[in-house]
Amino acid sequence: MQPNCSVVARNNVTIHGSGSTVIMLAHGFGCDQQMWRHLLPYLVEKYKVVLFDYVGCGASDYSAYDNNRYATLDGYAQDVLDICEALNLKDVIFIGHSVSSMIGMHAAIQSPHIFSKLAMVCPSPCFLNFPPDYMGGFDKADLEELLNLMDKNYVGWANYLAPLVMGQDNSADLIQELETSFCSTDPKFAKPFAKTTFFSDDRAQLAKLMLPTLILQSKHDNLASTNVGEYMNNAIPDAKMHIVDAYGHCLHMTNPATVFTLFEDFAA
């Protein structure tokens, strides 16, 4: 493995707060650690918070990107495990947004001794529809069309996706922030991450997750319905779910106080 300092630099790791309990916050697709700034002020007074960017996102070291490694969620999970090893972390409470919920699950299944609990913000184990047994929300052709739009008109793709993800009823500033984040991500790295995010099927992995798990699902989410949350809640052995009466796929940005309150009950 690379020296500790190179892992920290590679993933642009930043540490906030000084509590005895360590929380790791993992951003979703098309985002970076800055998206946690709405929730971070609630956490730093009590917890030590580790933030980072996946390779290919934010201020990470783009020269460390490997096409084979990041073709699956396991590659991103290895980023998480590398950071934990580099910082000698243990008993970590992992909070993942969207696809990072599944990335955290992969990391926890592989190295359960590192983590104590997992919290998932608007997770989905599979965005694809497999009727009649499972409805992830999207037909394969629709997702393929979305990926093709990235090639044809990247800015147009971002303009379309940002309000869909954030929720049209949320503030224009938050929608613009997400759109800017999408646009600032190099398509060379964004498209493989999108493909991995939207075409992964981790339903069979849910039963392998043995850690206490909190599922926070938005009541009105264009990407992950409450039915998806209920599916996960039934499949993960030690899970509890809360449906937040909110719009959009980014509860940590739109409803940080609610997320913090529910997390505090779970972390206690």
Side-chain angles (χ1 to χ4, degrees), residues 30 57 70 106 127 174-175:
C57 304
Y70 297 107
H106 280 263
F127 287 100
L174 286 176
I175 294 172

Side-chain angles (χ1 to χ4, degrees), residues 132-149:
D133 300 321
Y134 178 83
M135 299 300 290
F138 298 89
D139 291 328
K140 187 176 181 181
D142 294 334
L143 292 179
E144 288 173 341
E145 186 177 340
L146 187 63
L147 289 182
N148 288 335
L149 182 60

